[in-house]
Amino acid sequence: MRPAAITLVSALHDVDADRVAARISVGHRMHARGSAFAVARAIAERADHLDRVCGPDADHGLVVTLPPGADSRAVGMMLANAARSETGDDRILRHVVSVLRADDVARLLWSEVDDAFVAADRVASLVEYATVIVLDRVTPVPVDRRRALLALLHRLAPQAVVVAVSSIRSAADLPASNGGAARLLAAGAGWMRALSGSAGRDPRDGLVALRYREPLPFHPGRLASVIEHDLAAGVNGRVLRSKGFFRLASRPDHVGAWSSLGAMLALDPTANPSWDEDAPIGQALWFVGEELDVRSIERALDGALLTAPELLAGPELWRSWADPFPVWPALDPSGEHRHE
């Protein structure tokens, strides 16, 4: 039996996802909300029902809209894993479509807005975990910013096709797919590829990227100074997006997740304790932006690393240093975060 091909559609606003979903669906459509597990289960049940009703040879598909903030990557990978365990074939996910308002994204990237953390995180996820990015409201964006925005989207999601909403009139306007979208979600984001490959200037888009890897932890005070002064827009270029993992000496039990979009930088704990054998060691960061002074940024970050005497002093001293960053939950021996 040919399984129903599933297309997930997400946006920052329900109305945007609904509009695109209405164009690309041919009768079979649903809206799913709840946890990623609950959403994946509901979609799988609906797809199984369609398989039984439509018959073994029907070429049918299911378009699913997800609410803002839903984890489409987790949903897609759960669907693929379930299909693989049941049929041995994980090619059930046709596309993950993200609908963005170009003028809103440009405002987040190039304005001095520094408190829209939820929107920034959702935009980054919508871009980096999509196979099709549909842009609406492109005209209000100045032409030079429009080019830079498109270049950035291709850097963040090299696996995705970027199209204008006006070009999507039916499912036939989506790129051809063999149902393997979930495989792209696993490791297709630009920052993942960049941290395992090369970085630098691409003459085709004018952006500059930097991959920073160092095994030493950061000194909290010096890192805070680098963030405030050296990574501020206009000092060493403009960082549009940065992502990766980092270690603070004052928090030796934790591995931190680093994520910025425009002027918004979030430094959060990951689920990996520092002693986990799979935990990243030291710093693994990727930056991409306009006119980045790579050498100056590298020197600034190098200056925030522990010196040899500081490293030899050990964690007992490190924990006593002033740490200006928001407090993270403590870890219990299992690696789970607990609130004190």
Side-chain angles (χ1 to χ4, degrees):
M1 177 180 291
R2 180 184 302 171
I6 297 167
T7 296
L8 305 179
V9 184
S10 302
L12 283 183
H13 308 278
D14 284 326
V15 63
D16 296 340
D18 290 341
R19 181 155 59 108
V20 171
R23 296 182 184 183
I24 63 175
S25 62
V26 188
H28 306 306
R29 181 177 160 198
M30 67 178 289
H31 181 75
R33 62 175 62 248
S35 68
F37 177 79
V39 168
R41 182 172 61 182
I43 295 171
E45 290 174 352
R46 179 68 176 274
D48 287 344
H49 174 73
L50 286 176
D51 291 341
R52 292 192 299 271
V53 170
C54 296
D57 299 318
D59 185 9
H60 57 286
L62 174 62
V63 175
V64 183
T65 52
L66 302 178
D71 191 340
S72 56
R73 179 174 184 258
V75 171
M77 294 182 69
M78 286 181 189
L79 289 170
N81 291 338
R84 186 187 307 114
S85 66
E86 292 178 9
T87 67
D89 189 346
D90 62 2
R91 292 174 298 174
I92 190 173
L93 194 61
R94 178 176 288 170
H95 279 300
V96 177
V97 179
S98 293
V99 188
L100 296 171
R101 298 178 181 180
D103 56 342
D104 285 349
V105 178
R107 191 176 303 112
L108 287 174
L109 288 167
W110 281 284
S111 74
E112 300 309 313
V113 172
D114 61 0
D115 59 354
F117 289 97
V118 172
D121 182 64
R122 288 181 178 176
V123 165
S125 295
L126 284 169
V127 171
E128 291 170 340
Y129 303 120
T131 61
V132 179
I133 298 171
V134 180
L135 290 182
D136 193 10
R137 301 195 338 197
V138 176
T139 303
V141 181
V143 173
D144 57 338
R145 287 279 168 84
R146 203 179 303 171
R147 294 194 190 101
L149 174 60
L150 290 174
L152 182 66
L153 294 178
H154 287 300
R155 287 278 193 136
L156 301 187
Q159 77 284 356
V161 175
V162 183
V163 297
V165 69
S166 58
S167 69
I168 302 295
R169 298 173 298 276
S170 71
D173 295 315
L174 293 178
S177 170
N178 65 355
R183 298 179 185 180
L184 294 177
L185 298 181
W191 69 272
M192 296 179 182
R193 296 188 183 189
L195 285 177
S196 59
S198 60
R201 178 182 292 275
D202 187 333
R204 295 170 297 179
D205 64 19
L207 299 179
V208 180
L210 160 65
R211 182 181 62 178
Y212 186 78
R213 283 190 175 275
E214 287 293 338
L216 294 171
F218 283 130
H219 183 287
R222 295 200 295 273
L223 178 62
S225 179
V226 168
I227 291 171
E228 181 179 359
H229 300 291
D230 299 277
L231 296 180
V235 177
N236 291 304
R238 179 183 287 272
V239 176
L240 296 174
R241 172 70 168 147
S242 61
K243 180 71 174 174
F245 304 100
F246 73 106
R247 295 284 190 97
L248 280 177
S250 51
R251 308 180 186 196
D253 297 334
H254 292 81
V255 175
W258 174 301
S259 179
S260 78
L261 186 87
M264 286 148 292
L265 172 64
L267 304 177
D268 298 310
T270 68
N272 285 65
S274 59
W275 58 82
D276 191 300
E277 62 180 12
D278 295 324
I281 297 173
Q283 322 305 336
L285 301 172
W286 179 66
F287 301 83
V288 63
E290 297 175 313
E291 303 300 328
L292 297 187
D293 186 335
V294 171
R295 296 292 173 261
S296 293
I297 294 174
E298 287 177 335
R299 283 195 298 269
L301 291 171
D302 286 346
L305 299 172
L306 294 195
T307 63
E310 289 171 338
L311 182 66
L312 293 174
E316 186 173 348
L317 175 65
W318 304 346
R319 294 179 193 274
S320 71
W321 289 339
D323 186 329
F325 297 106
V327 175
W328 291 344
L331 285 168
D332 64 27
S334 68
E336 297 294 325
H337 289 100
R338 56 183 171 83
H339 294 276
E340 296 181 334

Tab-separated table of all heavy atoms in Angstrom, residues 305-329:
chain	number	residue	atom	x	y	z
A	305	LEU	N	38.520	33.174	26.727
A	305	LEU	CA	38.838	31.818	27.183
A	305	LEU	C	39.676	31.873	28.460
A	305	LEU	O	40.354	32.869	28.737
A	305	LEU	CB	39.608	31.066	26.098
A	305	LEU	CG	38.892	30.854	24.761
A	305	LEU	CD1	39.858	30.265	23.740
A	305	LEU	CD2	37.678	29.954	24.933
A	306	LEU	N	39.657	30.805	29.214
A	306	LEU	CA	40.485	30.741	30.409
A	306	LEU	C	41.963	30.763	30.039
A	306	LEU	O	42.383	30.146	29.054
A	306	LEU	CB	40.197	29.474	31.209
A	306	LEU	CG	38.820	29.311	31.857
A	306	LEU	CD1	38.860	28.186	32.886
A	306	LEU	CD2	38.334	30.594	32.495
A	307	THR	N	42.737	31.476	30.840
A	307	THR	CA	44.187	31.432	30.697
A	307	THR	C	44.704	30.153	31.346
A	307	THR	O	43.961	29.467	32.073
A	307	THR	CB	44.830	32.637	31.376
A	307	THR	OG1	44.546	32.573	32.791
A	307	THR	CG2	44.275	33.948	30.808
A	308	ALA	N	45.964	29.831	31.121
A	308	ALA	CA	46.535	28.612	31.716
A	308	ALA	C	46.451	28.616	33.236
A	308	ALA	O	46.031	27.617	33.847
A	308	ALA	CB	47.979	28.439	31.237
A	309	PRO	N	46.837	29.724	33.934
A	309	PRO	CA	46.708	29.715	35.399
A	309	PRO	C	45.260	29.560	35.863
A	309	PRO	O	44.991	28.871	36.859
A	309	PRO	CB	47.275	31.091	35.805
A	309	PRO	CG	48.186	31.472	34.691
A	309	PRO	CD	47.534	30.934	33.458
A	310	GLU	N	44.304	30.186	35.148
A	310	GLU	CA	42.892	30.045	35.524
A	310	GLU	C	42.427	28.614	35.343
A	310	GLU	O	41.681	28.080	36.174
A	310	GLU	CB	42.032	30.987	34.675
A	310	GLU	CG	42.199	32.465	35.021
A	310	GLU	CD	41.516	33.378	34.024
A	310	GLU	OE1	41.281	32.942	32.872
A	310	GLU	OE2	41.224	34.528	34.389
A	311	LEU	N	42.858	27.987	34.264
A	311	LEU	CA	42.455	26.603	34.016
A	311	LEU	C	42.980	25.694	35.122
A	311	LEU	O	42.255	24.815	35.623
A	311	LEU	CB	42.987	26.155	32.652
A	311	LEU	CG	42.623	24.737	32.220
A	311	LEU	CD1	41.125	24.623	32.005
A	311	LEU	CD2	43.368	24.359	30.937
A	312	LEU	N	44.220	25.901	35.533
A	312	LEU	CA	44.829	25.053	36.559
A	312	LEU	C	44.210	25.283	37.931
A	312	LEU	O	44.275	24.406	38.796
A	312	LEU	CB	46.341	25.306	36.621
A	312	LEU	CG	47.138	24.859	35.385
A	312	LEU	CD1	48.590	25.299	35.497
A	312	LEU	CD2	47.054	23.343	35.212
A	313	ALA	N	43.594	26.447	38.143
A	313	ALA	CA	42.991	26.739	39.445
A	313	ALA	C	41.819	25.817	39.756
A	313	ALA	O	41.533	25.525	40.918
A	313	ALA	CB	42.535	28.194	39.485
A	314	GLY	N	41.119	25.355	38.719
A	314	GLY	CA	40.089	24.348	38.901
A	314	GLY	C	38.700	24.872	39.204
A	314	GLY	O	38.502	26.056	39.501
A	315	PRO	N	37.708	23.964	39.128
A	315	PRO	CA	36.291	24.338	39.253
A	315	PRO	C	35.916	25.014	40.562
A	315	PRO	O	34.983	25.813	40.591
A	315	PRO	CB	35.564	23.002	39.095
A	315	PRO	CG	36.498	22.146	38.303
A	315	PRO	CD	37.871	22.556	38.753
A	316	GLU	N	36.611	24.687	41.650
A	316	GLU	CA	36.234	25.292	42.928
A	316	GLU	C	36.373	26.814	42.861
A	316	GLU	O	35.512	27.559	43.344
A	316	GLU	CB	37.096	24.727	44.056
A	316	GLU	CG	36.664	25.214	45.433
A	316	GLU	CD	37.399	24.539	46.563
A	316	GLU	OE1	38.097	23.527	46.296
A	316	GLU	OE2	37.277	25.009	47.700
A	317	LEU	N	37.465	27.289	42.244
A	317	LEU	CA	37.636	28.722	42.070
A	317	LEU	C	36.688	29.256	41.003
A	317	LEU	O	36.086	30.326	41.160
A	317	LEU	CB	39.081	29.046	41.687
A	317	LEU	CG	39.355	30.523	41.361
A	317	LEU	CD1	39.136	31.390	42.606
A	317	LEU	CD2	40.768	30.715	40.820
A	318	TRP	N	36.520	28.528	39.927
A	318	TRP	CA	35.660	28.999	38.827
A	318	TRP	C	34.252	29.317	39.324
A	318	TRP	O	33.655	30.305	38.915
A	318	TRP	CB	35.556	27.951	37.725
A	318	TRP	CG	36.854	27.486	37.140
A	318	TRP	CD1	38.073	28.063	37.275
A	318	TRP	CD2	37.048	26.327	36.315
A	318	TRP	NE1	39.026	27.345	36.597
A	318	TRP	CE2	38.418	26.270	35.997
A	318	TRP	CE3	36.201	25.342	35.824
A	318	TRP	CZ2	38.959	25.266	35.209
A	318	TRP	CZ3	36.732	24.330	35.039
A	318	TRP	CH2	38.093	24.293	34.726
A	319	ARG	N	33.723	28.451	40.200
A	319	ARG	CA	32.355	28.649	40.677
A	319	ARG	C	32.209	29.938	41.493
A	319	ARG	O	31.100	30.452	41.658
A	319	ARG	CB	31.922	27.460	41.529
A	319	ARG	CG	31.787	26.149	40.786
A	319	ARG	CD	31.374	25.043	41.758
A	319	ARG	NE	31.517	23.717	41.203
A	319	ARG	CZ	30.602	23.096	40.469
A	319	ARG	NH1	29.470	23.719	40.211
A	319	ARG	NH2	30.810	21.875	40.017
A	320	SER	N	33.318	30.457	42.018
A	320	SER	CA	33.249	31.651	42.862
A	320	SER	C	33.278	32.940	42.063
A	320	SER	O	33.043	34.025	42.609
A	320	SER	CB	34.425	31.650	43.850
A	320	SER	OG	35.664	31.896	43.181
A	321	TRP	N	33.546	32.861	40.765
A	321	TRP	CA	33.633	34.076	39.957
A	321	TRP	C	32.261	34.719	39.771
A	321	TRP	O	31.235	34.023	39.691
A	321	TRP	CB	34.213	33.754	38.580
A	321	TRP	CG	35.676	33.406	38.597
A	321	TRP	CD1	36.590	33.720	39.563
A	321	TRP	CD2	36.388	32.658	37.608
A	321	TRP	NE1	37.833	33.229	39.232
A	321	TRP	CE2	37.738	32.579	38.027
A	321	TRP	CE3	36.030	32.066	36.397
A	321	TRP	CZ2	38.716	31.918	37.289
A	321	TRP	CZ3	36.996	31.412	35.653
A	321	TRP	CH2	38.330	31.340	36.096
A	322	ALA	N	32.261	36.032	39.663
A	322	ALA	CA	31.018	36.737	39.346
A	322	ALA	C	30.533	36.293	37.969
A	322	ALA	O	31.306	36.247	37.012
A	322	ALA	CB	31.263	38.241	39.360
A	323	ASP	N	29.257	35.959	37.903
A	323	ASP	CA	28.670	35.435	36.666
A	323	ASP	C	27.435	36.271	36.344
A	323	ASP	O	26.415	36.163	37.017
A	323	ASP	CB	28.298	33.962	36.867
A	323	ASP	CG	27.811	33.278	35.600
A	323	ASP	OD1	27.212	33.970	34.753
A	323	ASP	OD2	27.998	32.058	35.455
A	324	PRO	N	27.510	37.125	35.304
A	324	PRO	CA	26.413	38.055	35.033
A	324	PRO	C	25.248	37.466	34.254
A	324	PRO	O	24.257	38.166	34.013
A	324	PRO	CB	27.094	39.149	34.207
A	324	PRO	CG	28.175	38.418	33.466
A	324	PRO	CD	28.657	37.328	34.399
A	325	PHE	N	25.343	36.199	33.862
A	325	PHE	CA	24.302	35.624	33.020
A	325	PHE	C	23.149	35.078	33.862
A	325	PHE	O	23.324	34.767	35.048
A	325	PHE	CB	24.891	34.511	32.148
A	325	PHE	CG	25.942	35.003	31.194
A	325	PHE	CD1	27.292	34.736	31.415
A	325	PHE	CD2	25.590	35.765	30.082
A	325	PHE	CE1	28.261	35.203	30.551
A	325	PHE	CE2	26.548	36.241	29.209
A	325	PHE	CZ	27.896	35.965	29.448
A	326	PRO	N	21.950	34.955	33.275
A	326	PRO	CA	20.804	34.423	34.027
A	326	PRO	C	21.098	33.051	34.625
A	326	PRO	O	21.815	32.243	34.033
A	326	PRO	CB	19.695	34.342	32.965
A	326	PRO	CG	20.074	35.379	31.949
A	326	PRO	CD	21.572	35.359	31.902
A	327	VAL	N	20.537	32.821	35.802
A	327	VAL	CA	20.772	31.562	36.517
A	327	VAL	C	20.126	30.408	35.767
A	327	VAL	O	19.022	30.530	35.234
A	327	VAL	CB	20.193	31.653	37.945
A	327	VAL	CG1	20.316	30.306	38.661
A	327	VAL	CG2	20.909	32.749	38.724
A	328	TRP	N	20.828	29.286	35.706
A	328	TRP	CA	20.291	28.062	35.119
A	328	TRP	C	19.900	27.103	36.235
A	328	TRP	O	20.507	27.115	37.318
A	328	TRP	CB	21.332	27.375	34.232
A	328	TRP	CG	21.671	28.105	32.980
A	328	TRP	CD1	20.975	29.122	32.402
A	328	TRP	CD2	22.808	27.856	32.142
A	328	TRP	NE1	21.598	29.527	31.251
A	328	TRP	CE2	22.722	28.773	31.066
A	328	TRP	CE3	23.871	26.967	32.181
A	328	TRP	CZ2	23.677	28.815	30.052
A	328	TRP	CZ3	24.823	26.999	31.173
A	328	TRP	CH2	24.721	27.917	30.121
A	329	PRO	N	18.908	26.233	35.992
A	329	PRO	CA	18.561	25.224	37.000
A	329	PRO	C	19.748	24.305	37.268
A	329	PRO	O	20.556	24.017	36.368
A	329	PRO	CB	17.411	24.453	36.351
A	329	PRO	CG	16.882	25.362	35.288
A	329	PRO	CD	18.048	26.158	34.798
